Every structure is written in structure tokens, then in C-alpha cells.
Amino acid sequence: SRILAPSSGDSIWALVVLVVQIGAYLVTRILKPGLSAKIEAGDTAHGTILAAIAVTAGILNAACMTY
């Protein structure tokens, strides 16, 4: 079994994934004002929404990278 070294394409995908995750977070913050304050106040529903959006964006990223 051969160990694969990361290629420059992997670095590009890592940047794309980072941008998508940050974008998903920013869109969520725009659509749900006061999100961070509500999470800090112990509102688990808002934390669950943010977690679900982050996981969804991650799954979409993984699906796009799998060909």
C-alpha cells in the first residue's frame, strides 16, 4: 500500500472547503440575528441549527470532492 502525498489540488480543495464553511456560517448569522448571543445564553436549539448547517456544508463539500 502506497501513502499518497498531498498535491496542489488538495490545497485548492482545502481552501474551497474553508470558504464554503465560513460562507455557511456567515449566511446563518445573517439569517438568524443574535445567533452567538443565543448560543452563549444556553439556547441549544440555535446551537443545533448551526451545527446542522455546518455538517450539511461539510457533507456537500465531501460529495463534491468525491468523484
Side-chain angles (χ1 to χ4, degrees), residues 25 28-50:
Y25 175 73
T28 304
R29 296 256 336 234
I30 291 169
L31 296 176
K32 305 278 293 165
L35 180 66
S36 295
K38 290 176 183 175
I39 293 172
E40 289 175 7
D43 190 349
T44 56
H46 285 84
T48 303
I49 288 170
L50 185 58

Side-chain angles (χ1 to χ4, degrees), residues 6-18:
S7 66
S8 62
D10 294 337
S11 300
I12 292 169
W13 274 113
L15 290 174
V16 170
V17 168
L18 177 66

